[in-house]
Amino acid sequence: MRISDPRIVARLRELEVELRPGATLAGLTSLGIGGTTDLLRIRKYESIPELLNLLDANHIPHKFLGGGSNLLIRDGELPWVVLQLVCPEPDIVLEGNFAHVDAAADLGRTVTFCAKHDLGGMEGLIGVPGTVGGALRMNAGAYGMQIGSYVREVKLYRAADRKIEILRGHQISFEYRHTSFAPDDMMLAVTLELPSKPFKEILEGIRICNEKRRASQPLGQKSAGCIFKNPPGASAGRMIDELGLKGLSVGDARVSDRHANFFVNAGRASAKEMLALISDVRDRVRKAYGVTLENEVVVWNA
Ligand code: EPU
């Protein structure tokens, strides 16, 4: 979708929103899949309510993009524009055991920055790509920890109330790869409370998690991490592997040879191919195990 009305373009400039016309979203996702649309980069949180009023008043649908690491975007010219926060400087401010982190901050950088200041707890998240806001929204986790355990406060744009609000940790529920945020809530910043730990000890935890990840996940390839959530008490990766589906392909969309719950873009996979592969694997698992796997990957297919 293209914004061409000069009055809207001028208003965006006033709101300090950078308009990138015809951006290719494949370049903004870890899967390397996605069509084209106008990208609106937001420099000031305070302008968000007005920006969304402007888009609504002009019937311009929008979606909000974080780090693009758990996302499958459809092909072609997209019928909505995409909003993205520009990461401010500094993006992490420490205050005792509290880390105030911007939603657009890189998750891995946040883990290492805090580690260097003797704040630990998040070692398991070290190899997880994406932004802190994205991790927060889906309660990202690995190796027995999840980000939600450390959240004390979240600043967000609440689409339902059309304003920026602050929620305390106890007002948010964090479950396995799920939170109580509404789908159109926009994460802006988070305060984490992290346990004090010597840097050396945190580094050793990070090293162990990195090794485990390297041994079991296709890190060098384009993927969105695990495609499916694990069903209660089971591993989707193991089930898919047991069915002998590693290497199964639709075009360039392929079930990883290394971890069967990672589907990789082995070349120029389209969203259509990736969706067909997801659907095929889900059907096969349903037939074999009677379990319907739920997507972990977020799909923008509308
Ligand atoms: N397994 C296989 N074949 C495979 C993959 C896994 O047999 O192709 C077996 C493993 O040998 C192991 C069991 O399945 O016995 C579990 O595998 P793994 O330890 O890799 O964990 P997972 O349940 O597949 C989860 C998360 C990962 C996270 C790891 C480590 C989900 C959907 N996945 O994977 O998170 O990194 O544990 O904590 O919860 C993600 O969410 O995108 C993600 C990568």
Side-chain angles (χ1 to χ4, degrees):
M1 169 165 254
R2 303 306 159 104
I3 297 177
S4 50
D5 183 335
R7 283 169 313 163
I8 303 175
V9 173
R11 188 69 193 117
L12 289 176
R13 208 171 298 125
E14 282 165 17
L15 292 172
E16 293 182 41
V17 174
E18 180 200 344
L19 173 62
R20 290 198 184 163
T24 303
L25 298 190
L28 298 177
T29 66
S30 57
L31 260 176
I33 295 176
T36 51
T37 189
D38 281 0
L39 177 68
L40 276 61
R41 307 215 339 128
I42 302 165
R43 295 194 180 279
K44 278 195 325 195
Y45 297 158
E46 309 81 64
S47 64
I48 292 174
E50 223 180 307
L51 168 64
L52 294 186
N53 287 339
L54 178 72
L55 297 178
D56 286 352
N58 290 282
H59 312 289
I60 301 171
H62 66 272
K63 291 193 182 285
F64 186 67
L65 177 70
S69 61
N70 187 41
L71 185 60
L72 172 54
I73 304 179
R74 58 170 264 193
D75 309 309
E77 180 65 30
L78 305 168
W80 19 263
V81 298
V82 164
L83 315 182
Q84 193 179 39
L85 294 173
V86 174
C87 196
E89 278 280 340
D91 52 353
I92 309 167
V93 174
L94 301 181
E95 196 184 348
N97 284 69
F98 295 97
H100 306 286
V101 190
D102 196 85
D106 178 75
L107 181 61
R109 194 185 102 70
T110 303
V111 175
T112 48
F113 182 91
C114 292
K116 281 180 193 153
H117 292 85
D118 301 316
L119 293 176
M122 298 201 291
E123 293 84 330
L125 288 176
I126 190 62
V128 177
T131 60
V132 168
L136 183 63
R137 155 166 291 292
M138 66 172 290
N139 192 20
Y143 304 112
M145 61 79 52
Q146 53 182 30
I147 192 168
S149 315
Y150 301 104
V151 172
R152 295 297 167 260
E153 205 169 87
V154 173
K155 188 179 195 179
L156 74 169
Y157 172 77
R158 282 235 129 160
D161 304 336
R162 296 191 160 258
K163 61 176 193 211
I164 292 174
E165 289 177 16
I166 290 179
L167 293 181
R168 311 284 304 187
H170 66 82
Q171 295 175 284
I172 309 161
S173 89
F174 290 100
E175 291 149 47
Y176 166 66
R177 302 295 194 270
H178 181 79
T179 60
S180 51
F181 298 117
D184 50 4
D185 283 346
M186 206 184 273
M187 305 296 113
L188 301 177
V190 60
T191 298
L192 303 166
E193 185 179 4
L194 301 170
S196 298
K197 251 193 208 181
F199 177 49
K200 265 194 164 170
E201 213 176 287
I202 304 173
L203 213 56
E204 180 56 12
I206 286 177
R207 194 188 60 73
I208 292 168
C209 291
N210 264 337
E211 242 170 49
K212 283 192 204 164
R213 209 179 277 284
R214 260 197 302 271
S216 64
Q217 300 180 0
L219 300 186
Q221 286 176 286
K222 290 181 188 167
S223 83
C226 285
I227 285 287
F228 301 112
K229 291 183 186 179
N230 283 338
S235 160
R238 181 184 288 156
M239 292 163 113
I240 300 166
D241 193 0
E242 278 173 2
L243 293 177
L245 302 182
K246 279 182 170 169
L248 182 73
S249 305
V250 178
D252 276 339
R254 179 175 306 162
V255 177
S256 161
D257 294 321
R258 185 165 277 230
H259 193 299
N261 197 11
F262 280 63
F263 293 9
V264 300
N265 173 2
R268 291 166 159 247
S270 64
K272 216 172 160 195
E273 289 168 345
M274 193 55 81
L275 286 166
L277 184 64
I278 292 172
S279 166
D280 186 11
V281 171
R282 181 184 281 117
D283 284 350
R284 291 178 193 236
V285 169
R286 192 190 295 118
K287 278 189 195 123
Y289 296 94
V291 171
T292 302
L293 294 176
E294 197 186 320
N295 279 0
E296 177 179 303
V297 66
V298 174
V299 179
W300 288 356
N301 197 27

